[in-house]
Amino acid sequence: MEQERRLGIVVRGSLSAGLEARLDGAGSVEDMRVGKFVKVRGEKHDFFCLITDVLLHAANENVLAAPPLEDEQFLRQVLAGTTTFGMIQVQPMLMLARDPAADEGEAEGPRPVKTIPTHFSTVFVADEADFERVFGAPGEDRFELGTPLDMEVPIRLNLRRFVERSNGVFGKSGTGKSFLTRLLLCGVIKSGVAANLVFDMHSEYGWDSHTEDRHFVKGLKQLFPARVTVYTLDMESARKRGVRPDGEITIGYDEIDVDDVALLHEELRLNPTAVESANLVVEEYKGDWLRRLMEMDGEGLRAFCTAHGANVESLSALRRKLVAHLKPLPFLRERAEGRALDQVIARLRQGEHVVLEFGQHRRLLPYMLVANIITRRVHGLWINQMERFLQSKDEADRPTPLMITIEEAHRFLDHEAARQTSFGTIAREMRKFNVTLLIVDQRPSGIDDEVLSQLGTRITAQLNDDQDIDAIFTGVSGSSKLRQTLASLDSREQAMILGHAVPMPVVFQARKYDTAFYAAISPFAEERELVTARAYEELFPDAE
Ligand SMILES: Nc1ncnc2c1ncn2[C@@H]1O[C@H](COP(=O)(O)OP(=O)(O)OP(=O)(O)O)[C@@H](O)[C@H]1O
Ligand SMILES: [Mg+2]
């Protein structure tokens, strides 16, 4: 069996430049593809390698001067594999002890390459068992994200490691980011390694979502009905789609901070003094600041400015913009009613999963405002909980790991915002408090460098812009070869994963998000959960 997979032997190489292997006569050099995985069996280690180049060689240069003619098949066959032969260049990516027991206490499992195999070590095509040794065997906390481009073996992600750090899904529009995110969320929900809060800007994660191929795919609520709850900011839109959310979120003016408004500086075109002026209003009216400011008439505003030394123009511009942009938002109330928001937080603390749909409010302003308000609350609570745990050392007090998914992440995490918002703090340091982000974005170059360098795992589909590609590799060593690989990706459903949750960077064909996937991931796929959202209403008529 192994002989069938044998490709050739290592003849030359160095740790820095990689290895060269001479191919056996039997195989065709045309079967060798750049990017294919091979295994080199050394004396003490197996080396898991990638083919980086394919070459033609001749042992005797005279043959090249007098080559066999086209019809001299016999002569060609005689030469092939002895005088003329193919070579491959391979780059060792990881090494594994051949006999872990005899390995002088070194840790089992894949390790970074620190040496090279001996002369004439045999090269094999990597098989499923090799992939399992590298990417892990099937198990609770492993998730199949896809397959390598030329093989039908699973690439597995370590979910426990995945949720330990903040992560990113990048790629230009239409490359499959939302689908990859859906796959990852399914994996995390199924394994139970973290609770999820999804800020679902385009209402595509909770219920059915329409694809570019003109069919519908299932949402998380349909695959995990008991573990996922869907809240909405727009009951009207949910009704129109025939969806019954578990609750409607409203937010009180008294829950909005100056920070939330500062985050919207671009959307509202605020000048820098606006925030200073707002702070003066907060000093005076505390939690009631926003309502009081919006209610001020011209005279009241001038009087306030005189009394508090605020700039009249800047404060009245701020007031005008807040009235114009916040007043019309139907989910904002004068005072917090808070129940739905409390429920959301309570569910997350219990390890459940919440999708927050924005319905028609898919403009950036409401999205950023709401996401920031909720995240700020989560942020504070998780810090308190962790402090309680550190004091009591009681496992029951340990805060539930939480992953927060945001789209259009660069708007929350650009250089300026990353310093001001809870999102910035979470991306930089909240893993210590068990909160991490799943950033979904098509413009990674807009994200603050410090945030990018903190990302644990990056999953990147096709990107064309050089700045975006540079951003992906912020803080990654040896990225020049990876850049080439990234450039070779298809425009859809292929991506490269690198970082904390995988032992080595690898390009993969994304797993299909289809009925076969539903059946594999969800015990409900065959039952009522394959119904559409509308049929759900019919099954539960009293729910209306
Ligand atoms: N894993 C997958 N399984 C099935 N179909 C997929 C998968 N990935 C991508 N697709 C197809 O590609 C289309 C685009 O994918 P998706 O909506 O995830 O792109 P996107 O990167 O999120 O785009 P945008 O930036 O515009 O939101 C989908 O509508 C679907 O038809
Ligand atoms: Mg998308």
Side-chain angles (χ1 to χ4, degrees), residues 397-433:
D397 281 342
R398 190 193 284 276
T400 319
L402 171 67
M403 184 165 91
I404 303 180
T405 302
I406 40 165
E407 302 231 3
E408 300 288 341
H410 67 274
R411 305 304 290 258
F412 298 86
L413 293 166
D414 66 26
H415 193 61
E416 192 112 327
R419 257 140 251 284
Q420 290 172 5
T421 62
S422 302
F423 286 101
T425 325
I426 292 177
R428 287 196 308 272
E429 57 197 52
M430 282 296 282
R431 69 187 175 85
K432 297 178 208 127
F433 300 93

Side-chain angles (χ1 to χ4, degrees), residues 284-333:
E284 178 69 22
Y285 298 116
K286 308 287 181 294
D288 211 17
W289 77 278
L290 185 59
R291 190 180 67 84
R292 296 295 286 259
L293 175 61
M294 295 210 288
E295 278 175 4
M296 279 181 197
D297 54 15
E299 208 166 303
L301 192 132
R302 267 191 300 281
F304 178 89
C305 289
T306 321
H308 295 85
N311 179 312
V312 179
E313 266 170 39
S314 126
L315 193 63
S316 72
L318 174 66
R319 191 194 80 90
R320 209 174 46 246
K321 284 172 182 166
L322 293 176
V323 169
H325 289 95
L326 301 192
K327 264 260 157 81
L329 296 176
F331 55 84
L332 291 186
R333 303 287 142 86

Side-chain angles (χ1 to χ4, degrees), residues 182-207:
R182 241 183 237 119
L183 287 168
L184 291 164
L185 288 170
C186 284
V188 173
I189 293 174
K190 169 109 199 250
S191 68
V193 292
N196 284 284
L197 169 59
V198 182
F199 290 115
D200 186 4
M201 189 173 188
H202 304 290
S203 307
E204 57 185 348
Y205 294 107
W207 293 98

